[in-house]
Amino acid sequence: MMQILKNVEWPEQFPFKDEDFQRFDESSDALFYEAPRFVTHIDDPAIAALTKYYSKVFPPSNTPGVSILDMCSSWVSHFPPGYKQERVVGLGMNEEELKRNPVLTEYVVQDLNVNPKLPFEDNSFDVITNVVSVDYLTKPLDVFKEMRRVLKPGGLAIMSFSNRCFWTKAISIWTSTGDADHVMIVGAYFHYAGGFEPPQAVDISPNPGRSDPMYIVYSRKLPTA
C-alpha cells in the first residue's frame, strides 16, 4: 500500500466520470443521517491503530494557536485520550452526534454533497481529519479544493478509511474497486485539487486478515498555495 502513490504518472485530466460518483441510493443524505447513530463504524483494533497514528502526527495537545477540523464528524473523533486544542471544529450531518463529541469546541451541520463549500476563512486549520467518510463524497474535487483553501500553509490533511461502509451511500467507483484502488482514488483527489504535496499512503492495519484494515492517505498544503 505504501508504494502505490510513489512516482505516480497522473493523467493530465481528472480521470473519473460523473457516473463514478453516483450512489445506489440517491435519496436525500439528510434523511439517511437524520437518526443519530451512536456506534463506531470500524472495529476496536482499527480505532486503536488510528488513535495511535494521530498521536504521532498531531501537534502536541494544547499547542497555542492550533486549530483542527474533523470533517464528516460524529459523536467520536478517535483523537488520543485527553487531546485538546483551543479550536477543534466538527463538521457533520447529525447535530445530536456532534453535540455528544467531547473533543469538539464547536460544530457545523452541513451536507458536503449538497454544499461542498466549507464555512471557514482561508488558512484557518493546521490539521484536517476525515475518518471512514471520504467514500461518501460525491463532489470530492470541490471538497479537496476547499480543504486546501482552509488549511494553513503546510497544514496536514489526513484521510483514513477501511473496507467497511454504507454500501448504498458510497460512490460507485468505491464500491466497485478494492483497497489498493481506494488509495489511488484518494491520492487522485489530492493531486487534481492542486496546491498539495504529492500524497502519501500508510497501511496502519493492526491485524491483517483478522480485523478491519485501516489505511491513511495524507498530504500537506504547499507553503505557497
Side-chain angles (χ1 to χ4, degrees):
M1 287 294 177
M2 295 174 71
Q3 301 305 313
I4 290 172
L5 294 176
K6 300 284 188 189
N7 304 313
V8 178
E9 293 188 14
W10 299 102
E12 190 171 324
Q13 300 294 324
F14 190 56
F16 306 115
K17 305 182 180 78
D18 288 347
E19 53 263 35
D20 291 331
F21 303 106
Q22 293 175 346
R23 290 91 51 83
F24 182 80
D25 177 5
E26 289 286 4
S27 65
S28 168
D29 290 337
L31 287 175
F32 186 81
Y33 293 104
E34 186 176 28
R37 293 177 173 90
F38 296 110
V39 297
T40 52
H41 301 288
I42 46 177
D43 63 19
D44 289 345
I47 290 170
L50 179 60
T51 299
K52 182 179 179 183
Y53 178 82
Y54 281 162
S55 71
K56 293 177 179 177
V57 301
F58 275 9
S61 195
N62 292 309
T63 301
V66 164
S67 296
I68 295 179
L69 171 62
D70 188 30
M71 214 166 62
C72 306
S73 188
S74 67
W75 68 283
V76 62
S77 295
H78 308 307
F79 289 6
Y83 189 82
K84 286 186 172 66
Q85 296 295 355
E86 66 181 54
R87 190 182 190 204
V88 180
V89 184
L91 186 148
M93 289 288 292
N94 186 281
E95 186 168 16
E96 291 305 311
E97 291 182 18
L98 294 166
K99 278 182 181 175
R100 291 265 202 105
N101 190 325
V103 77
L104 303 180
T105 61
E106 59 189 271
Y107 65 81
V108 177
V109 177
Q110 182 172 323
D111 183 349
L112 292 172
N113 290 339
V114 172
N115 177 16
K117 184 166 179 60
L118 298 175
F120 310 110
E121 298 291 323
D122 296 358
N123 307 316
S124 292
F125 296 100
D126 299 271
V127 179
I128 295 177
T129 57
N130 182 322
V131 181
V132 296
S133 295
V134 68
D135 45 323
Y136 301 122
L137 298 176
T138 61
K139 301 179 175 73
L141 215 51
D142 293 336
V143 171
F144 274 62
K145 287 176 180 177
E146 279 292 286
M147 286 165 44
R148 178 196 66 211
R149 180 182 66 78
V150 303
L151 275 172
K152 297 175 184 177
L156 176 65
I158 304 167
M159 306 291 109
S160 61
F161 50 92
S162 185
N163 62 359
R164 291 170 59 176
C165 64
F166 297 122
W167 287 96
T168 60
K169 281 296 185 182
I171 57 172
S172 65
I173 190 69
W174 196 274
T175 58
S176 62
T177 55
D179 294 350
D181 301 290
H182 298 162
V183 168
M184 187 66 83
I185 290 165
V186 179
Y189 295 166
F190 278 117
H191 174 78
Y192 291 99
F196 285 102
E197 293 179 355
Q200 299 186 58
V202 187
D203 184 349
I204 61 169
S205 304
N207 307 294
R210 289 180 287 125
S211 62
D212 289 342
M214 203 66 203
Y215 310 107
I216 305 280
V217 176
Y218 69 92
S219 183
R220 288 186 180 276
K221 178 176 174 174
L222 290 170
T224 54

